[in-house]
């Protein structure tokens, strides 16, 4: 129903989603009730069901979309301007700080565990997130090629996919162990491999 909302309605819906995200992060998805979310956001039950007619699952799906957007937003402005090796190192530092601060809790993963990846729209959120993330990395590699930092024969899509896979693997291990060493290694090696591909260029 997002397309039918007025500007005020969109703002109210966004406020509910952001408030729900905050309380879910604090207390965990499994233990939070709609009453908790209504209390946090100052929303009545009729208001909540006006914006989310299907109830909690629909709201959780909206929060999952918000959390997925945050994954990319938290990497800006660096993810959007990977046009130098310095920018790549700054981006690397931001990614590590984000996930070290998050620790062994993953709001997005918890949401998908609660609503189920088979829920209509849930898988699409993950697919879209990964697609946009990989495309941003690919754009950065192309920027390096355009500036002469990388040769034109570097396989951009493969390199971007490998970087993203390394990040996701490192994050998975961090979630299991609370340690970021593997995430650091994946990023460091991925960037080092890119640098090596550019050795001798120019």
């Amino acid at each position: 129903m997002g397309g039918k909302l007025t500007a005020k309605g969109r703002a109210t819906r966004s406020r509910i989603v952001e408030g729900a995200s905050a309380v879910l992060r604090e207390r965990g998805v499994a233990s939070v009730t709609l009453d908790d979310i209504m209390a946090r956001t100052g929303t009545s039950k009729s208001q909540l069901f006006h914006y989310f007619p299907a109830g909690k699952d629909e709201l959780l799906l909206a929060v999952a979309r918000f959390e997925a957007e945050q994954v990319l937003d938290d990497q800006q402005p660096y993810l959007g301007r990977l046009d130098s090796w310095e920018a790549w190192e700054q981006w690397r530092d931001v990614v590590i700080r984000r996930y070290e601060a998050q620790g062994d809790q993953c709001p997005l993963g918890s949401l998908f565990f609660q609503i189920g990846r088979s829920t209509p729209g849930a898988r699409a959120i993950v697919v879209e997130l990964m697609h946009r993330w990989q495309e941003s990395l690919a754009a950065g590699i192309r920027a390096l090629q355009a500036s002469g930092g990388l040769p034109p024969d570097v396989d951009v899509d493969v390199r971007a996919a490998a970087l993203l896979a390394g990040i996701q693997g490192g994050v998975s291990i961090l979630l299991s162990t609370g340690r970021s060493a593997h995430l650091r290694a994946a990023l460091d090696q991925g960037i080092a491999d890119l640098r090596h591909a550019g050795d001798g260029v120019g």
Side-chain angles (χ1 to χ4, degrees):
M1 66 176 296
K4 303 176 184 176
L5 295 176
T6 63
K8 182 179 179 181
R10 288 193 297 272
T12 300
R13 188 180 188 278
S14 294
R15 177 175 58 80
I16 294 169
V17 171
E18 291 179 30
S21 174
V23 73
L24 289 167
R25 279 176 173 267
E26 291 169 10
R27 300 182 54 181
V29 177
S31 63
V32 170
T33 66
L34 287 180
D35 287 337
D36 296 325
I37 293 169
M38 287 187 289
R40 170 63 67 92
T41 59
T43 307
S44 67
K45 183 167 286 189
S46 61
Q47 256 189 316
L48 196 69
F49 279 91
H50 171 71
Y51 292 106
F52 305 97
K56 188 176 182 180
D57 280 353
E58 185 178 357
L59 174 56
L60 291 180
L61 202 59
V63 174
R65 290 191 191 95
F66 173 77
E67 290 287 354
E69 195 67 34
Q70 287 299 114
V71 170
L72 299 180
D73 285 351
D74 288 350
Q75 298 175 53
Q76 300 299 352
Y78 307 105
L79 182 61
R81 58 181 194 203
L82 295 171
D83 53 2
S84 68
W85 294 119
E86 181 183 5
W88 278 85
E89 294 296 338
Q90 290 172 324
W91 166 74
R92 171 244 187 226
D93 293 344
V94 165
V95 173
I96 289 172
R97 282 199 300 269
R98 180 197 194 277
Y99 284 104
E100 284 182 339
Q102 178 177 284
D104 60 1
Q105 301 296 318
C106 177
L108 191 57
S110 298
L111 284 161
F112 284 124
F113 178 79
Q114 183 73 14
I115 62 181
R117 290 183 185 274
S118 60
T119 300
R123 185 176 295 274
I125 292 172
V126 177
V127 170
E128 176 67 10
L129 169 61
M130 294 304 160
H131 172 74
R132 290 174 59 196
W133 199 345
Q134 183 171 325
E135 280 300 302
S136 294
L137 295 172
I141 297 171
R142 291 189 189 98
L144 289 175
Q145 287 177 320
S147 66
L150 284 174
D153 61 350
V154 166
D155 192 322
V156 174
D157 292 330
V158 168
R159 294 280 184 166
L163 270 167
L164 182 55
I167 295 167
Q168 290 301 298
V171 169
S172 294
I173 294 173
L174 189 156
L175 291 172
S176 299
T177 66
R179 299 181 60 204
S180 62
H182 294 82
L183 175 60
R184 287 174 173 269
L187 283 164
D188 289 344
Q189 190 62 52
I191 294 172
D193 287 346
L194 270 181
R195 278 183 175 272
H196 181 68
D199 286 350
V201 175

